[in-house]
């Protein structure tokens, strides 16, 4: 099968479109999916959508050959103590398709049947690019805001770097749940687009002092929730923006993972610092249900053919996107 592979640990110049052995035929409880689109997250993490090609192994009844499916890229063992408690993203062997498991921006991929769901019927129908763009960012942002930060109607959230898929989805979830949202970017065009998509306040973090602006906007109180995935570059300002008793939820550290934390401020201000990665099966079912109701339809930035995958990664590497960058694969049929 054709696949986009990293031939060595390295940069975009190490990406190649090449022939690799087909993904293995599905065993009991697995589904092999014929991939039609893959959304880019970072250099080695792709999320995909497609059709069961080669179908399901023994015992699989949830999907049939020909169904259009979404894939939850978080692969759990469905047997450890955390899985049995329904917390699949806490699984002791948790892995992400593309990051820890091979061969995902490829024509075929084999995954546990629990990770595959039929795409909901919505009008207009989801494109392959939208289907691929949906799962990772929506699941991640949903768990961050709903399960971890427990954002409530009328609360205010600060969300950094609105061009990124998780940030943009977090903004839309916060709005859906009745919160007020302050978003940042270094790009005025992205900020204008975010305003169109529902942002209440937009701040350019290159030309404005975010903490000063946020404290002014909230009468020195600070925001209820900060959504972090930037890390070192924004951490100090994130804490300056957080109200007494506020919650900071983080799922990433794109600018670096090492930050300074004065514990006296944590306990004195009753702050909650919350980590979050992906989400469990119930959360995934909930976001797919919401998608079926016409909510949280993903924002696709640009779509590229597989042959131009490198160009797609370059757009991501330069942070030029608003929403998801997607690569489409031709039908194998
Ligand atoms: Zn487990």
């Amino acid at each position: 099968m054709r696949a986009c592979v990293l031939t060595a640990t390295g940069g975009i110049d190490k990406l190649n479109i090449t022939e690799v052995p087909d993904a293995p035929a599905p065993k009991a409880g697995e589904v092999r999916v014929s991939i039609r689109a893959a959304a880019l997250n970072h250099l080695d993490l792709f999320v995909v959508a497609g059709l069961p090609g080669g179908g399901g192994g023994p015992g699989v009844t949830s999907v049939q050959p020909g169904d259009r499916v979404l894939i939850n890229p978080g692969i759990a063992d469905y047997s450890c103590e955390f899985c049995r408690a329904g917390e699949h993203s806490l699984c002791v062997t948790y892995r992400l398709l593309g990051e820890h498991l091979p061969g995902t921006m490829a024509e075929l991929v084999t995954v546990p049947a629990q990770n595959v769901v039929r795409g909901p019927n919505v009008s207009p129908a989801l494109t392959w690019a939208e289907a691929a763009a949906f799962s990772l960012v929506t699941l991640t942002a949903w768990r961050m805001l709903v399960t971890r930060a427990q954002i409530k109607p009328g609360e205010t959230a600060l969300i950094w770097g609105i061009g990124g898929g998780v940030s943009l989805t977090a903004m839309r979830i916060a709005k859906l749940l009745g919160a007020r949202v302050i978003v940042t970017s270094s790009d005025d065009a992205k900020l204008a687009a975010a305003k169109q998509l529902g942002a209440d306040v937009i701040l350019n973090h290159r030309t404005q002092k975010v903490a000063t602006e946020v404290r002014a906007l909230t009468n020195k109180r600070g925001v209820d929730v900060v959504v972090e995935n930037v890390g070192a570059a924004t951490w100090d300002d994130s804490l300056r923006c957080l109200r007494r008793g506020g919650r900071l939820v983080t799922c990433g550290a794109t600018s670096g993972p090492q930050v300074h934390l004065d514990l006296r401020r944590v306990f004195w201000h009753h702050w909650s610092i919350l980590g979050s990665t992906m989400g469990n099966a119930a959360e995934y079912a909930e976001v797919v249900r919401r998608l079926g109701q016409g909510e949280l339809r993903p924002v696709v930035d640009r779509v590229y053919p597989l042959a131009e995958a490198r160009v797609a990664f370059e757009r991501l590497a330069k942070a030029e996107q608003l929403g998801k960058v997607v690569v489409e694969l031709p039908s194998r049929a």
Side-chain angles (χ1 to χ4, degrees):
M1 64 178 177
R2 304 283 289 165
C4 177
V5 296
L6 269 172
T7 50
T9 304
I12 292 167
D13 58 324
K14 300 289 198 306
L15 279 173
N16 276 306
I17 313 297
T18 185
E19 284 292 323
V20 299
D22 277 2
K27 299 192 295 268
E30 291 183 338
V31 177
R32 186 161 69 175
V33 179
S34 176
I35 300 303
R36 295 301 310 277
L40 280 51
N41 295 284
H42 49 75
L43 190 53
D44 48 4
L45 178 55
F46 323 127
V47 182
V48 292
L51 305 164
V60 173
T61 56
S62 55
V63 292
Q64 302 292 326
D67 287 342
R68 295 167 65 102
V69 297
L70 311 178
I71 299 177
N72 174 352
I75 310 292
D77 59 16
Y78 299 98
S79 64
C80 76
E81 67 166 303
F82 300 104
C83 286
R84 292 198 308 275
E87 286 292 3
H88 306 96
S89 52
L90 272 56
C91 180
V92 295
T93 64
Y94 198 63
R95 290 178 173 84
L96 295 181
L97 212 53
E99 187 163 27
H100 311 105
L101 298 167
T104 45
M105 193 186 288
E107 290 178 307
L108 294 167
V109 59
T110 301
V111 293
Q114 292 98 322
N115 285 75
V116 177
V117 296
R118 272 194 213 98
N121 289 317
V122 291
S123 182
L126 285 182
T127 64
W128 287 118
E130 287 174 318
F134 176 75
S135 294
L136 182 139
V137 295
T138 316
L139 179 59
T140 299
W142 185 268
R143 183 173 176 90
M144 288 178 84
L145 283 166
V146 177
T147 309
R148 303 292 281 144
Q150 299 187 10
I151 197 162
K152 295 172 192 67
E155 288 194 320
T156 300
L158 169 68
I159 302 176
W160 292 98
I162 202 61
V166 169
S167 295
L168 190 59
T169 310
M171 178 190 87
R172 296 170 70 220
I173 291 169
K175 292 304 298 176
L176 189 66
L177 300 176
R180 175 179 179 236
V181 184
I182 302 169
V183 306
T184 86
S185 172
S186 59
D187 181 331
D188 286 333
K190 289 184 190 178
L191 288 169
K195 186 102 189 173
Q196 291 292 312
L197 289 166
D200 296 288
V201 178
I202 54 177
L203 297 174
N204 187 316
H205 59 235
R206 190 166 44 82
T207 59
Q208 292 174 282
K209 286 194 161 63
V210 170
T212 306
E213 296 290 336
V214 166
R215 297 201 74 76
L217 285 162
T218 57
N219 297 318
K220 298 186 184 169
R221 173 184 178 272
V223 298
D224 304 284
V225 172
V226 174
V227 176
E228 255 287 350
N229 58 30
V230 181
T234 52
W235 183 260
D236 289 345
D237 275 340
S238 287
L239 294 181
R240 279 186 204 109
C241 291
L242 198 58
R243 73 155 163 89
R244 297 176 64 79
R247 296 91 79 196
L248 184 156
V249 60
T250 175
C251 73
T254 52
S255 68
Q258 302 296 340
V259 296
H260 179 255
L261 186 61
D262 183 337
L263 287 173
R264 294 168 298 184
R265 293 174 73 209
V266 176
F267 62 72
W268 186 252
H269 294 308
H270 297 254
W271 283 337
S272 297
I273 310 286
L274 305 165
S276 198
T277 293
M278 300 292 289
N280 63 33
E283 289 156 343
Y284 190 60
E286 176 62 13
V287 294
V288 171
R289 187 187 70 78
R290 297 237 176 202
L291 180 63
Q293 291 181 336
E295 296 168 349
L296 303 177
R297 195 174 177 120
V299 175
V300 174
D301 173 68
R302 282 195 194 172
V303 182
Y304 296 85
L306 180 62
E308 291 174 27
R310 193 178 292 184
V311 183
F313 277 109
E314 280 165 1
R315 182 169 176 80
L316 196 70
K318 292 180 199 154
E320 292 172 335
Q321 83 282 8
L322 182 84
K324 299 305 288 180
V325 177
V326 178
V327 169
E328 284 193 338
L329 286 77
S331 171
R332 247 171 93 93

